[in-house]
Amino acid sequence: MTDDTRRASARDDRVELALDLLSALERDDLALSAAVDRIETVTTDPTLVRTILDEAELRGIVERDADRLRLRRTGDFVRFERQVVEREGDFDCRRCGASLSTGHFVRFESGELGPFGSSCVRKLLGRD
């Protein structure tokens, strides 16, 4: 596998992971800035963030309305008991940067996202 192929594969993996995240949010609508905040837990590359938003619209996951996104339910909500895994260790939250001794990781079909603190994982998924 060439370096370009590996980079393209990693890029595709991040797109799928972000789309899984958007599909699982427990919201009917979301400010564009809040959606970008969530996508940035997967990637901070501005070009890739835009690609993710465009792909989410193409796949019918979101509908854009100026600076808001209407989320179209395309998947199930995350089941905390099964899909959020806690691990002990020395982590930094991907959302807020806080130091963690217990990391929460969200399992999606396309991969795992984390670590997050207990309150950040709930905010990320739209529970709070």
Side-chain angles (χ1 to χ4, degrees):
M1 189 180 278
T2 68
D3 285 344
D4 287 340
T5 305
R6 274 193 276 287
R7 278 192 292 275
S9 177
R11 182 179 185 278
D12 292 345
D13 291 347
R14 287 181 289 167
V15 169
E16 292 304 318
L17 187 57
L19 293 174
D20 279 351
L21 173 60
L22 289 174
S23 294
L25 295 179
E26 295 186 31
R27 301 279 174 149
D28 292 330
D29 70 32
L30 198 60
L32 180 59
S33 60
V36 169
D37 179 59
R38 284 161 172 85
I39 293 169
E40 286 180 339
T41 64
V42 177
T43 181
T44 56
D45 177 340
T47 304
L48 195 51
V49 169
R50 183 176 215 36
T51 298
I52 291 163
L53 288 168
D54 289 345
E55 189 65 24
E57 190 171 25
L58 283 171
R59 293 190 192 185
I61 296 169
V62 301
E63 186 177 304
R64 290 189 211 193
D65 185 17
D67 63 346
R68 296 207 61 83
L69 297 179
R70 254 183 308 226
L71 300 167
R72 300 170 135 187
R73 195 63 43 226
T74 59
D76 293 329
F77 296 136
V78 169
R79 291 191 170 97
F80 270 71
E81 307 77 38
R82 285 192 252 159
Q83 289 175 270
V84 178
V85 177
E86 293 181 19
R87 293 193 189 114
E88 300 300 318
D90 185 24
F91 304 109
D92 292 324
C93 179
R94 284 187 74 125
R95 187 170 179 276
C96 73
S99 293
L100 306 168
S101 58
T102 302
H104 294 77
F105 297 81
V106 185
R107 289 184 178 163
F108 293 106
E109 196 171 301
S110 60
E112 189 173 86
L113 185 58
F116 300 101
S118 59
S119 60
C120 281
V121 75
R122 295 182 68 76
K123 287 177 185 172
L124 174 78
L125 298 170
R127 293 256 171 124
D128 290 336

Coordinates of all heavy atoms in Angstrom, one line a residue, residues 31-85:
A31 N -27.1 24.2 15.4 CA -26.4 25.3 14.7 C -25.2 24.7 14.0 O -24.6 23.7 14.4 CB -25.9 26.3 15.8
L32 N -24.9 25.3 12.8 CA -23.8 24.9 12.0 C -22.5 24.9 12.9 O -21.7 23.9 12.8 CB -23.6 25.8 10.8 CG -22.4 25.4 9.9 CD1 -22.6 24.0 9.3 CD2 -22.3 26.4 8.8
S33 N -22.3 25.9 13.7 CA -21.1 25.9 14.6 C -21.1 24.7 15.6 O -20.0 24.2 15.8 CB -21.0 27.2 15.3 OG -22.2 27.4 16.2
A34 N -22.2 24.3 16.1 CA -22.3 23.1 17.0 C -22.0 21.9 16.2 O -21.3 20.9 16.8 CB -23.6 23.1 17.7
A35 N -22.4 21.8 15.0 CA -22.1 20.6 14.2 C -20.6 20.5 13.9 O -20.0 19.5 14.0 CB -22.9 20.6 12.9
V36 N -20.0 21.7 13.5 CA -18.6 21.7 13.3 C -17.8 21.3 14.5 O -16.8 20.6 14.5 CB -18.2 23.1 12.7 CG1 -16.6 23.3 12.7 CG2 -18.8 23.3 11.4
D37 N -18.3 21.8 15.7 CA -17.7 21.4 17.0 C -17.6 19.9 17.2 O -16.6 19.4 17.6 CB -18.4 22.1 18.1 CG -17.9 21.7 19.5 OD1 -16.7 22.1 19.7 OD2 -18.6 21.2 20.3
R38 N -18.7 19.3 16.8 CA -18.7 17.8 16.9 C -17.8 17.1 15.9 O -17.1 16.2 16.2 CB -20.2 17.3 16.8 CG -21.0 17.6 18.1 CD -22.5 17.5 17.9 NE -23.2 17.6 19.1 CZ -23.5 18.7 19.8 NH1 -23.1 19.9 19.3 NH2 -24.2 18.7 20.9
I39 N -17.9 17.6 14.7 CA -17.0 17.1 13.6 C -15.6 17.2 13.9 O -14.8 16.3 13.6 CB -17.4 17.7 12.2 CG1 -18.8 17.3 11.8 CG2 -16.3 17.3 11.2 CD1 -19.3 18.1 10.6
E40 N -15.2 18.3 14.6 CA -13.8 18.5 15.0 C -13.3 17.6 16.0 O -12.1 17.5 16.3 CB -13.6 20.0 15.4 CG -13.6 20.9 14.2 CD -13.4 22.4 14.5 OE1 -13.7 22.8 15.7 OE2 -13.1 23.1 13.6
T41 N -14.2 16.7 16.6 CA -13.7 15.7 17.5 C -13.1 14.5 16.6 O -12.4 13.7 17.1 CB -14.8 15.1 18.4 OG1 -15.8 14.5 17.6 CG2 -15.3 16.2 19.3
V42 N -13.4 14.5 15.3 CA -12.9 13.6 14.4 C -11.8 14.1 13.6 O -10.7 13.5 13.4 CB -14.0 13.1 13.4 CG1 -13.5 12.1 12.4 CG2 -15.2 12.5 14.2
T43 N -11.9 15.4 13.1 CA -10.9 16.0 12.3 C -11.0 17.5 12.5 O -12.1 18.1 12.5 CB -10.9 15.6 10.8 OG1 -9.9 16.3 10.1 CG2 -12.2 16.1 10.2
T44 N -9.8 18.2 12.5 CA -9.8 19.6 12.5 C -9.4 20.2 11.1 O -9.2 21.4 11.0 CB -8.8 20.2 13.6 OG1 -7.5 19.6 13.4 CG2 -9.4 19.8 15.0
D45 N -9.2 19.4 10.2 CA -8.8 19.8 8.8 C -10.0 20.5 8.2 O -11.0 19.8 8.0 CB -8.4 18.6 8.0 CG -8.1 18.9 6.6 OD1 -8.5 19.9 6.0 OD2 -7.4 18.0 5.9
P46 N -9.9 21.8 7.9 CA -11.1 22.5 7.4 C -11.6 22.0 6.1 O -12.9 22.0 5.9 CB -10.6 24.0 7.2 CG -9.2 24.0 7.8 CD -8.8 22.6 8.1
T47 N -10.8 21.5 5.2 CA -11.2 20.9 4.0 C -12.0 19.7 4.2 O -13.1 19.4 3.6 CB -10.0 20.7 3.0 OG1 -9.3 21.9 2.9 CG2 -10.5 20.1 1.7
L48 N -11.6 18.9 5.1 CA -12.2 17.6 5.5 C -13.6 17.9 6.2 O -14.6 17.2 5.9 CB -11.3 16.7 6.3 CG -11.8 15.2 6.4 CD1 -12.1 14.6 5.0 CD2 -10.7 14.4 7.1
V49 N -13.6 18.9 7.1 CA -14.8 19.3 7.7 C -15.9 19.6 6.7 O -17.0 19.2 6.7 CB -14.6 20.4 8.7 CG1 -16.0 21.0 9.2 CG2 -13.8 20.0 9.9
R50 N -15.5 20.4 5.7 CA -16.4 20.8 4.6 C -16.9 19.6 3.8 O -18.0 19.5 3.5 CB -15.7 21.8 3.7 CG -16.6 22.4 2.6 CD -15.9 23.4 1.8 NE -16.6 24.5 1.3 CZ -17.6 25.2 1.8 NH1 -18.1 24.9 2.9 NH2 -18.1 26.2 1.1
T51 N -15.9 18.7 3.5 CA -16.3 17.5 2.8 C -17.3 16.7 3.6 O -18.3 16.1 3.0 CB -15.0 16.6 2.6 OG1 -14.1 17.4 1.8 CG2 -15.3 15.3 1.9
I52 N -17.1 16.6 4.9 CA -18.1 15.8 5.7 C -19.4 16.5 5.7 O -20.4 15.8 5.5 CB -17.5 15.7 7.2 CG1 -16.3 14.8 7.2 CG2 -18.6 15.2 8.2 CD1 -15.4 14.9 8.4
L53 N -19.5 17.8 5.8 CA -20.8 18.5 5.8 C -21.5 18.3 4.4 O -22.7 18.0 4.3 CB -20.6 19.9 6.1 CG -20.3 20.3 7.5 CD1 -19.9 21.7 7.7 CD2 -21.5 20.0 8.4
D54 N -20.7 18.4 3.3 CA -21.3 18.2 2.0 C -21.8 16.7 1.8 O -22.8 16.5 1.3 CB -20.2 18.5 0.9 CG -19.9 20.0 0.8 OD1 -20.7 20.8 1.3 OD2 -18.8 20.3 0.2
E55 N -21.0 15.8 2.3 CA -21.4 14.4 2.2 C -22.6 14.1 3.0 O -23.5 13.3 2.6 CB -20.2 13.5 2.6 CG -20.4 12.0 2.3 CD -20.5 11.7 0.8 OE1 -20.0 12.4 0.0 OE2 -21.2 10.6 0.5
A56 N -22.7 14.7 4.2 CA -23.8 14.5 5.1 C -25.1 15.0 4.4 O -26.2 14.3 4.5 CB -23.6 15.2 6.4
E57 N -25.0 16.1 3.7 CA -26.1 16.6 2.9 C -26.5 15.7 1.8 O -27.6 15.4 1.5 CB -25.9 18.0 2.5 CG -27.1 18.7 1.9 CD -26.8 20.2 1.7 OE1 -25.7 20.6 1.5 OE2 -27.8 20.9 1.7
L58 N -25.5 15.3 1.0 CA -25.7 14.4 -0.1 C -26.4 13.1 0.3 O -27.2 12.5 -0.4 CB -24.4 14.0 -0.8 CG -23.8 15.1 -1.7 CD1 -22.4 14.7 -2.2 CD2 -24.7 15.3 -2.9
R59 N -26.0 12.5 1.4 CA -26.6 11.3 1.9 C -27.9 11.4 2.7 O -28.5 10.4 3.1 CB -25.6 10.6 2.8 CG -24.3 10.1 2.1 CD -23.5 9.2 3.0 NE -22.2 9.0 2.4 CZ -21.3 8.1 3.0 NH1 -21.6 7.5 4.1 NH2 -20.1 8.0 2.4
G60 N -28.3 12.7 2.8 CA -29.6 12.9 3.5 C -29.6 12.8 5.0 O -30.6 12.7 5.6
I61 N -28.4 13.0 5.6 CA -28.2 12.9 7.0 C -28.6 14.3 7.6 O -29.2 14.4 8.7 CB -26.8 12.6 7.4 CG1 -26.5 11.1 6.9 CG2 -26.5 12.7 8.9 CD1 -25.0 10.8 7.0
V62 N -28.3 15.4 6.9 CA -28.6 16.7 7.3 C -29.2 17.5 6.1 O -29.0 17.1 5.0 CB -27.4 17.5 7.8 CG1 -26.8 16.8 9.0 CG2 -26.4 17.8 6.7
E63 N -30.0 18.5 6.5 CA -30.5 19.5 5.5 C -30.1 20.8 6.0 O -30.3 21.2 7.1 CB -32.0 19.4 5.5 CG -32.6 20.2 4.4 CD -34.1 20.0 4.4 OE1 -34.6 18.8 4.3 OE2 -34.9 21.0 4.6
R64 N -29.3 21.6 5.2 CA -28.8 22.9 5.6 C -29.9 23.9 5.4 O -30.6 24.0 4.4 CB -27.6 23.3 4.7 CG -26.4 22.4 5.0 CD -25.2 23.0 4.3 NE -24.3 22.0 4.0 CZ -23.1 22.2 3.6 NH1 -22.6 23.4 3.5 NH2 -22.3 21.2 3.3
D65 N -29.9 24.8 6.4 CA -30.8 26.0 6.3 C -30.1 27.2 6.9 O -30.1 27.4 8.1 CB -32.1 25.7 7.1 CG -33.1 26.8 7.0 OD1 -33.0 27.6 6.1 OD2 -34.0 26.8 7.8
A66 N -29.4 27.9 6.0 CA -28.5 29.0 6.4 C -27.5 28.5 7.4 O -26.6 27.7 7.1 CB -29.4 30.2 7.0
D67 N -27.5 29.0 8.7 CA -26.5 28.6 9.6 C -27.0 27.5 10.6 O -26.5 27.4 11.7 CB -26.0 29.8 10.4 CG -27.1 30.5 11.2 OD1 -28.3 30.2 11.0 OD2 -26.8 31.3 12.1
R68 N -28.0 26.8 10.2 CA -28.5 25.7 11.0 C -28.6 24.4 10.1 O -28.7 24.5 8.9 CB -29.9 26.0 11.5 CG -29.9 27.2 12.4 CD -31.0 27.2 13.4 NE -31.1 26.1 14.4 CZ -30.4 26.0 15.5 NH1 -29.5 26.9 15.8 NH2 -30.6 25.0 16.3
L69 N -28.5 23.3 10.8 CA -28.7 22.0 10.1 C -29.9 21.3 10.7 O -30.0 21.3 12.0 CB -27.4 21.1 10.4 CG -26.1 21.6 9.8 CD1 -25.0 20.6 10.2 CD2 -26.2 21.8 8.3
R70 N -30.7 20.8 9.9 CA -31.8 19.9 10.4 C -31.3 18.5 10.2 O -30.9 18.1 9.1 CB -33.1 20.2 9.5 CG -34.1 20.9 10.3 CD -35.3 21.0 9.4 NE -34.9 21.5 8.1 CZ -35.5 22.5 7.4 NH1 -36.6 23.0 7.9 NH2 -35.0 22.9 6.3
L71 N -31.4 17.8 11.3 CA -30.9 16.4 11.3 C -32.0 15.5 10.9 O -33.1 15.6 11.4 CB -30.3 16.0 12.6 CG -29.2 16.9 13.1 CD1 -28.9 16.7 14.5 CD2 -28.0 16.6 12.2
R72 N -31.8 14.7 9.9 CA -32.8 13.7 9.5 C -32.3 12.3 10.1 O -31.2 11.9 9.9 CB -32.8 13.6 8.0 CG -33.2 14.9 7.4 CD -32.9 14.9 5.9 NE -34.1 15.5 5.3 CZ -34.3 15.4 4.0 NH1 -33.4 14.8 3.2 NH2 -35.3 16.0 3.4
R73 N -33.2 11.7 10.8 CA -32.9 10.5 11.5 C -32.6 9.4 10.5 O -33.5 8.9 9.8 CB -34.1 10.1 12.4 CG -33.8 9.1 13.4 CD -32.8 9.4 14.4 NE -33.0 10.7 15.0 CZ -31.9 11.6 15.2 NH1 -30.7 11.2 14.9 NH2 -32.1 12.8 15.6
T74 N -31.3 9.0 10.4 CA -30.9 8.0 9.4 C -30.4 6.8 10.2 O -30.1 5.7 9.6 CB -29.8 8.5 8.5 OG1 -28.7 8.9 9.2 CG2 -30.4 9.6 7.6
G75 N -30.2 6.9 11.5 CA -29.7 5.8 12.3 C -30.3 5.8 13.7 O -31.2 6.5 13.9
D76 N -29.8 5.0 14.5 CA -30.3 4.9 15.9 C -29.5 5.8 16.8 O -28.3 6.1 16.5 CB -30.2 3.4 16.4 CG -31.2 2.5 15.7 OD1 -32.2 3.0 15.3 OD2 -30.8 1.3 15.5
F77 N -30.1 6.2 17.9 CA -29.3 6.9 18.9 C -28.3 5.9 19.5 O -28.4 4.7 19.5 CB -30.2 7.4 20.0 CG -31.2 8.4 19.6 CD1 -32.5 8.3 20.0 CD2 -30.9 9.5 18.8 CE1 -33.5 9.3 19.6 CE2 -31.8 10.4 18.3 CZ -33.1 10.3 18.8
V78 N -27.2 6.5 20.0 CA -26.2 5.7 20.7 C -26.8 5.1 22.0 O -27.4 5.8 22.8 CB -24.9 6.6 21.0 CG1 -24.0 5.8 21.9 CG2 -24.2 7.0 19.7
R79 N -26.6 3.8 22.1 CA -27.0 3.2 23.4 C -25.8 3.2 24.3 O -24.8 2.5 24.1 CB -27.4 1.7 23.1 CG -28.7 1.7 22.3 CD -29.2 0.2 22.3 NE -30.5 0.2 21.7 CZ -30.8 -0.1 20.5 NH1 -29.9 -0.3 19.6 NH2 -32.1 -0.1 20.1
F80 N -25.9 4.0 25.4 CA -24.8 4.2 26.3 C -24.3 2.9 26.9 O -23.1 2.6 27.1 CB -25.2 5.2 27.4 CG -24.8 6.6 27.0 CD1 -25.5 7.2 26.0 CD2 -23.8 7.2 27.6 CE1 -25.2 8.5 25.7 CE2 -23.4 8.5 27.2 CZ -24.2 9.2 26.3
E81 N -25.2 2.0 27.2 CA -24.9 0.7 27.8 C -24.0 -0.2 26.9 O -23.2 -0.9 27.4 CB -26.1 -0.1 28.3 CG -27.1 0.7 29.1 CD -28.0 1.6 28.3 OE1 -28.4 1.3 27.1 OE2 -28.3 2.7 28.8
R82 N -24.2 -0.1 25.6 CA -23.5 -1.0 24.7 C -22.4 -0.3 23.9 O -21.4 -0.9 23.5 CB -24.5 -1.6 23.7 CG -25.3 -2.7 24.4 CD -26.0 -3.5 23.4 NE -27.5 -3.2 23.5 CZ -28.4 -3.4 22.5 NH1 -28.0 -3.8 21.4 NH2 -29.6 -3.1 22.7
Q83 N -22.7 1.0 23.5 CA -21.8 1.6 22.6 C -20.8 2.6 23.2 O -19.9 3.0 22.5 CB -22.6 2.4 21.5 CG -23.3 1.4 20.6 CD -24.2 2.2 19.6 OE1 -25.4 2.4 19.9 NE2 -23.7 2.6 18.5
V84 N -21.0 3.0 24.4 CA -20.0 3.8 25.1 C -19.2 3.0 26.1 O -19.8 2.4 27.0 CB -20.7 5.0 25.8 CG1 -19.7 5.9 26.6 CG2 -21.5 5.9 24.8
V85 N -18.0 2.9 25.8 CA -17.1 2.1 26.6 C -16.2 3.0 27.5 O -15.7 4.0 27.0 CB -16.2 1.2 25.7 CG1 -15.2 0.4 26.5 CG2 -17.0 0.4 24.7

